[in-house]
Every structure is written in structure tokens, then in C-alpha cells.
Amino acid sequence: MTTADSGAAPGDGVSGARTPPAASRVVVVMGVAGTGKTTVGPLVADALGVPYAEGDDFHPPANIAKMSSGVPLDDADRAPWLDAIGAWARDRTDRGGVVSCSALKRAYRDRLRAAAPGVVFLHLTGDRELIAGRMAARKGHFMTTRLLDSQFATLEPLGADEAGVAVDVAPEAAVIAERAVAALRHV
């Protein structure tokens, strides 16, 4: 894993054989609620010239109802959602794509990698107060700020052995996407 703002050399923290260009890989935009996955994801997809899939669209209605009522999902709730996202990613293998998915735990990312071994992760990171403020300002989303603490408690950042990059969400979305695309080209 590399950090976009770290000044790391291309390939730092990433082992293995030469990887395909970013545009032919599936990028999973991950992070806690409110980091901008739905905003940044399409910008990254456009820059790479690949399709974008909104991870929330893969949730069964029961999951959305549960989150709307302020109840966090458990691993059993997440399993079919992760499997659906993994199937989409597998279908995009060698053609590329970008999909949003919180992918908060290593086990969830492992499940996605099992379905689509070449996926890379774009971890949108940020300060809790900044993210809470953005969540409070958005309208019409089922995820409320009541669940933000549980999201941070569940979050397991990318490990050094995971293919991906971390990008801070403090700047505006276009800057975040630009930094993300540049960093992904070196994963």
C-alpha cells in the first residue's frame, strides 16, 4: 500500500510481478461513510476511461432498511453485498472498472480479492470531524452520522501487503481524484 501524498517512489510497499495499467484493472474505492466514494469514484473512472458502479446499488433492500434505521450491518448482512460487488469486479477483469465499497475490514477485501484477484484498493481517508461534517450536509442518503463511529471502529486500513493506495479527502473531489489516479498508476 502506498500513500498518495507520501512522496513514495513508484512501487514502494507493493511487491510482485509487473501489474497491468490502471485502466485495465478494477479499482475498489473504499473507506468509511462520508469520505466521498460516490463523488470521487466516477471521477476516477472517467479519468481511467472505465465504467463506474455504485456500491450502494448492490445492497439488498434489507441492508438499506437496517442502515436507514441507524443499525450497523454485521458480517452476515455484508456477505451477499460483497459477493455481488466481487462478481461485478470479476466480470470486469482485464477490462477495468471502478466500484465503491466501504471494504472496511481486511476480511472483506480478502473476499473481494478471492472473487476478483487483480482488484486494487483506493482508500479514501480523512479526519472524523471533516467526514461527519460532510455527512451532516448531504441530503437523501440512507447512511446517517449515527453510524460513523461504528464505521471507524470497524475500519482496518490497508495493510502494506495489500495492492492499493490511501488518499486524504481534505481537498476538493477533483484534486482527490487527480491524486488517486496518479498514485494508482504506480500500484
Side-chain angles (χ1 to χ4, degrees), residues 42-64:
L43 296 173
V44 170
D46 286 347
L48 296 175
V50 297
Y52 171 76
E54 171 54 53
D56 288 342
D57 294 344
F58 293 91
H59 274 299
N63 283 8
I64 293 175

Side-chain angles (χ1 to χ4, degrees), residues 55-132:
D56 288 342
D57 294 344
F58 293 91
H59 274 299
N63 283 8
I64 293 175
K66 194 171 184 178
M67 290 183 287
S68 294
S69 67
V71 178
L73 299 180
D74 60 27
D75 289 351
D77 296 324
R78 287 186 179 97
W81 174 65
L82 291 166
D83 291 343
I85 291 171
W88 184 90
R90 182 181 54 249
D91 290 346
R92 298 297 313 166
T93 299
D94 297 326
R95 296 183 293 151
V98 175
V99 61
S100 59
C101 173
S102 56
L104 298 175
K105 289 184 180 180
R106 171 76 183 241
Y108 304 160
R109 297 187 298 273
D110 288 345
R111 190 174 188 127
L112 294 172
R113 275 189 291 270
V119 299
V120 296
F121 294 89
L122 166 56
H123 183 186
L124 300 180
T125 65
D127 175 83
R128 190 210 176 282
E129 289 73 30
L130 171 71
I131 294 166

